[in-house]
């Protein structure tokens, strides 16, 4: 018996695994750099360069990239250096194959830099790698039967049709000019590029990315190299990513994987070192779906033949909710044991992390922290740069009405705004706007009909059934099941009992007449 079928392209996370590792190495100062006296600040990030997938294993090759700011022996001034420590780590994932679509994300929980001597550093970091296996599947959904004599029951279901799933990059290139009241750049000491207010919108055939890049730098000026200059500026982010087949009403999830952004000094149009080139890449993982409401064949029977339904259990998913929410944080960071009085705040670097999340009634409870690092200029000639770090915990409920424990969700955090105000020399006031982006999928298990075997009707069994019967509706009864059991149709039962809908109530009394047309054809 032939079906009418609809091809559904779907995806689901088949597996997830994570591993924590310690990356540690000694690092020697280049010969051209002066000796170290004291460390001031350090920052770093874990980069993934390549992913290799083998049977039951994913290998991530990457590097710990770090930047160190320190006091040096060169007339007591401030110096900096950059370096990287390569790593390669295997993640065991049962069942993965070389052809699987694997996404690996990295995060650095801790970075410590220690002076071994004036020419050597010890670099140590705790890095977590998280891998997910995003399986694509093609399902042939039965949406109809060509034989019109067969009684068919359909169920309306909303499903997600996968349009595209890919990893892609967005290239950033921008020029920044120093304000006229700033001296030329002699040497760039420290830099930070942070993504703020990131947003993405679906357009026809593309995705629009907006936000801003907050750039902070410390540098030595050409006029007086002992005078440290700091500058903060923003660069507007407005890029378009090609997305073939995408429409404005599509559902999508764009996850930034890692940002590789760097600022380098450059000459302006007059040949002076008054320009900065901001260049780099934003790596992201994109999935796009179209929500479709389909009529799925749930059951079938015939009045002429015996039908044996073949079924296969599959997992389907539909969208429950996509929620992009924002909330404010206001707190203080204590400024204790400062080496000298703060003259000026140079840069405020912040990151928001989700540490734990769980499904609660009508929502998702997320707990995390806002990590803040404040770089400042002091009144001390001996140590003109200082650093303060603070951690602010937060807890937030994300609305997701009707969410169930078996549903799946994805959750990410980002900073829209971060403001640090020096109240006095004892505390700094922190104000931030944190964004929580979530998408919740309703998980559905379905027994899809994959085939129907047709055989002649058992006439002996058919003759044993009464031609007319009374029936009292029991709990959970559907008119479809009653009609199927008594070898008739829903329409005939409704007509015989003068019903205006297929809905029946517990205790209703029905008169049912067995259909004889199929029996006569079989006998004839």
């Amino acid at each position: 018996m032939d079906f009418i079928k609809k091809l559904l392209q779907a995806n689901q996370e088949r597996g997830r695994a994570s591993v924590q590792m310690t990356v540690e190495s000694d690092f020697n100062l280049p010969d051209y750099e002066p000796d170290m006296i004291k460390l001031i600040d350090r920052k770093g990030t874990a980069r993934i360069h390549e992913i290799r997938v083998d049977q039951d294993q994913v290998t991530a090759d990457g590097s710990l990239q770090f930047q160190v700011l320190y006091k040096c022996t060169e007339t007591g001034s401030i110096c900096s250096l950059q370096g990287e420590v390569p790593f390669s780590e295997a993640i065991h994932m049962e069942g993965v194959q070389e052809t699987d679509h694997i996404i690996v994300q990295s995060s650095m929980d801790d970075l410590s830099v220690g002076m071994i001597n004036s020419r050597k550093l010890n670099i140590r970091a705790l890095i977590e790698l998280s891998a997910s296996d995003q399986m694509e599947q093609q399902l042939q959904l039965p949406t109809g039967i060509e034989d019109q004599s067969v009684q068919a029951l359909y169920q309306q279901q909303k499903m997600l049709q996968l349009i595209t799933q890919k990893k892609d990059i967005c290239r950033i290139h921008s020029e920044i000019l120093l304000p006229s009241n700033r001296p030329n750049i002699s040497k760039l000491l420290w830099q930070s590029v942070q993504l703020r207010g990131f947003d993405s919108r679906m357009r026809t055939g593309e995705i629009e990315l907006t936000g801003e890049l907050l750039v902070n730098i410390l540098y030595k000026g050409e006029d007086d190299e002992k005078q440290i200059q700091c500058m903060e500026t923003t660069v507007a982010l407005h890029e378009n990513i090609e997305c073939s087949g995408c429409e404005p009403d599509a559902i999508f999830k764009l996850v930034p994987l890692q940002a590789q952004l760097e600022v380098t000094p450059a000459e302006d149009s007059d040949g002076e070192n008054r320009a900065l080139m901001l260049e780099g890449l934003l790596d992201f993982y994109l999935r796009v779906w179209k929500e479709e409401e389909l009529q799925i064949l749930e059951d079938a029977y015939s009045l002429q033949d015996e039908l044996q339904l073949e079924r296969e259990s599959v997992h389907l998913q539909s969208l429950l909710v996509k929620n992009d929410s924002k909330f404010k944080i206001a707190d203080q960071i204590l400024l204790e044991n400062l080496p000298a009085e703060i003259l000026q705040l140079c840069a405020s670097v912040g990151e928001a992390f989700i540490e734990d999340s769980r499904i609660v009634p009508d929502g998702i409870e997320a707990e995390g922290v806002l990590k803040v690092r404040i770089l400042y200029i002091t009144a001390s000639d001996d140590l003109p740069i200082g650093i303060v770090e603070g951690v602010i915990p937060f807890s937030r409920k994300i609305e997701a009405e009707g969410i169930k424990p078996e549903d799946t969700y994805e959750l990410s955090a980002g900073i829209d705004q971060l403001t640090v105000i020096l109240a006095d020399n004892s505390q700094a006031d922190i104000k931030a706007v944190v964004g929580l982006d979530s998408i919740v999928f309703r998980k559905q298990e379905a027994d899809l009909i994959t085939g129907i075997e047709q055989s002649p009707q058992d006439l002996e069994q058919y003759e044993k059934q009464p031609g007319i019967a009374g029936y009292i509706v029991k709990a959970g009864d559907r008119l479809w099941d009653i009609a199927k059991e008594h070898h008739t149709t829903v329409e005939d039962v409704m007509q015989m009992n003068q019903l205006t809908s297929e809905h029946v109530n517990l205790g209703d009394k029905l008169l049912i007449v067995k259909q004889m047309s199929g029996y006569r054809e079989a006998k004839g």
Side-chain angles (χ1 to χ4, degrees):
M1 185 174 292
D2 293 330
F3 286 108
I4 301 171
K5 294 183 178 180
K6 165 79 173 179
L7 178 64
L8 180 73
Q9 186 83 10
N11 81 301
Q12 63 178 355
E13 186 177 85
R14 182 166 57 181
R16 177 176 287 272
S18 62
V19 62
Q20 279 191 336
M21 62 176 179
T22 299
V23 177
E24 185 172 11
S25 178
D26 292 343
F27 186 85
N28 294 312
L29 266 66
D31 294 338
Y32 55 82
E33 293 287 359
D35 287 0
M36 296 179 292
I37 298 176
K38 185 176 183 179
L39 296 178
I40 298 174
D41 192 20
R42 78 281 184 270
K43 62 191 288 286
T45 185
R47 306 284 191 202
I48 303 296
H49 303 312
E50 183 182 2
I51 298 171
R52 303 192 308 275
V53 183
D54 301 301
Q55 179 72 37
D56 296 333
Q57 181 174 289
V58 177
T59 303
D61 295 331
S63 64
L64 166 64
Q65 299 180 358
F66 63 88
Q67 183 177 355
V68 178
L69 193 66
Y70 64 95
K71 182 182 178 182
C72 58
T73 56
E74 188 180 82
T75 63
S77 64
I78 303 299
C79 298
S80 66
L81 63 89
Q82 297 182 21
E84 65 177 11
V85 180
F87 63 79
S88 181
E89 186 72 13
I91 307 170
H92 179 74
M93 294 189 73
E94 192 75 31
V96 299
Q97 307 286 337
E98 293 181 17
T99 56
D100 287 356
H101 195 86
I102 305 296
I103 301 298
V104 178
Q105 292 180 272
S106 63
S107 63
M108 187 177 64
D109 295 333
D110 185 42
L111 171 66
S112 63
V113 179
M115 276 182 58
I116 298 175
N117 56 50
S118 62
R119 304 294 304 172
K120 182 182 286 189
L121 293 169
N122 176 259
I123 312 296
R124 188 176 186 273
L126 183 63
I127 295 174
E128 181 172 354
L129 301 177
S130 177
S132 64
D133 183 1
Q134 297 290 332
M135 180 182 66
E136 291 190 22
Q137 57 182 166
Q138 290 186 335
L139 300 174
Q140 296 283 351
L141 303 180
T143 59
I145 298 180
E146 294 185 353
D147 189 344
Q148 298 298 315
S149 67
V150 172
Q151 304 298 307
L153 177 66
Y154 297 97
Q155 182 181 17
Q156 295 292 122
Q157 285 191 342
K158 287 185 176 181
M159 299 182 187
L160 293 178
Q161 176 81 264
L162 182 67
I163 304 299
T164 186
Q165 175 177 238
K166 65 176 181 176
K167 287 186 285 187
D168 210 333
I169 60 173
C170 173
R171 299 185 183 276
I172 306 296
H173 180 88
S174 183
E175 183 182 45
I176 302 169
L177 297 177
L178 295 182
S180 58
N181 61 343
R182 297 282 185 176
N184 293 0
I185 300 173
S186 171
K187 183 179 181 180
L188 187 64
L189 294 175
W190 187 90
Q191 60 173 283
S192 170
V193 183
Q194 305 168 75
L195 184 59
R196 292 284 184 263
F198 181 71
D199 191 23
S200 54
R201 296 181 183 276
M202 182 70 70
R203 309 295 186 194
T204 301
E206 64 182 16
I207 294 179
E208 180 184 52
L209 307 181
T210 58
E212 64 179 20
L213 299 169
L214 180 64
V215 180
N216 293 97
I217 63 167
L218 284 180
Y219 72 94
K220 293 180 179 181
E222 287 184 351
D223 298 339
D224 183 3
E225 289 201 355
K226 291 186 179 180
Q227 181 69 36
I228 304 298
Q229 302 290 326
C230 64
M231 188 185 79
E232 178 178 280
T233 188
T234 58
V235 176
L237 173 66
H238 195 165
E239 301 288 338
N240 294 314
I241 303 297
E242 183 180 349
C243 183
S244 179
C246 296
E247 297 295 336
D249 60 346
I251 299 162
F252 73 100
K253 179 66 174 176
L254 188 145
V255 180
L257 298 178
Q258 58 185 4
Q260 304 178 54
L261 300 169
E262 187 174 0
V263 175
T264 54
E267 294 182 349
D268 63 8
S269 57
D270 296 327
E272 297 185 319
N273 292 327
R274 300 191 57 78
L276 295 166
M277 299 306 300
L278 171 60
E279 296 179 298
L281 304 173
L282 292 176
D283 294 7
F284 60 86
Y285 170 49
L286 173 67
R287 285 160 296 165
V288 182
W289 303 270
K290 181 181 180 181
E291 190 171 45
E292 297 185 2
E293 186 165 359
L294 300 177
Q295 176 181 271
I296 307 299
L297 181 64
E298 181 183 350
D299 197 7
Y301 67 93
S302 172
L303 300 180
Q304 286 80 34
D305 299 298
E306 294 288 341
L307 301 184
Q308 185 67 37
L309 306 183
E310 299 172 1
R311 296 181 182 269
E312 179 185 358
S313 180
V314 298
H315 295 285
L316 302 173
Q317 66 178 14
S318 60
L319 178 70
L320 180 64
V321 67
K322 189 173 186 292
N323 189 334
D324 299 338
S325 62
K326 304 182 191 302
F327 66 97
K328 295 180 180 180
I329 293 177
D331 211 326
Q332 292 84 35
I333 291 179
L334 296 180
L335 308 177
E336 299 176 318
N337 302 319
L338 298 182
E341 181 184 355
I342 298 176
L343 290 183
Q344 179 185 352
L345 298 182
C346 293
S348 304
V349 180
E351 291 183 278
F353 297 94
I354 301 295
E355 295 189 323
D356 188 28
S357 62
R358 56 191 174 275
I359 293 177
V360 296
D362 289 331
I364 302 168
E365 190 74 32
E367 295 178 354
V369 294
L370 174 66
K371 294 185 178 181
V372 180
R373 294 164 55 82
I374 305 170
L375 194 68
Y376 60 89
I377 294 178
T378 75
S380 171
D381 293 334
D382 184 55
L383 193 63
I385 300 295
I387 182 75
V388 173
E389 298 179 279
V391 176
I392 300 173
F394 64 80
S395 178
R396 186 75 175 179
K397 180 181 177 181
I398 303 155
E399 297 298 326
E401 186 176 353
I403 191 171
K404 299 178 180 179
E406 62 269 21
D407 292 336
T408 59
Y409 64 91
E410 297 176 19
L411 181 61
S412 57
I415 298 177
D416 273 25
Q417 299 173 25
L418 176 63
T419 304
V420 178
I421 300 175
L422 189 63
D424 51 43
N425 251 24
S426 64
Q427 71 176 33
D429 292 335
I430 310 297
K431 293 184 179 180
V433 177
V434 176
L436 294 177
D437 297 342
S438 63
I439 186 168
V440 183
F441 300 103
R442 169 69 23 103
K443 189 176 180 181
Q444 306 173 74
E445 287 219 20
D447 287 330
L448 292 185
I449 298 175
T450 57
I452 298 180
E453 290 292 330
Q454 216 169 351
S455 61
Q457 192 175 90
D458 186 344
L459 298 181
E460 182 178 345
Q461 184 64 31
Y462 178 82
E463 288 178 343
K464 291 180 180 179
Q465 295 179 344
I468 187 169
Y471 186 85
I472 299 177
V473 176
K474 300 187 295 292
D477 277 348
R478 295 182 302 176
L479 205 57
W480 166 270
D481 300 313
I482 297 170
K484 180 180 179 180
E485 181 184 348
H486 291 83
H487 203 270
T488 184
T489 67
V490 171
E491 292 76 12
D492 282 351
V493 175
M494 290 178 63
Q495 183 177 359
M496 176 64 66
N497 294 273
Q498 298 181 348
L499 301 178
T500 57
S501 74
E502 295 184 18
H503 177 73
V504 288
N505 298 308
L506 177 66
D508 285 352
K509 297 178 181 179
L510 303 176
L511 183 63
I512 302 174
V513 178
K514 180 172 65 175
Q515 281 273 11
M516 300 299 293
S517 58
Y519 172 73
R520 294 192 187 100
E521 291 177 12
K523 290 283 284 185

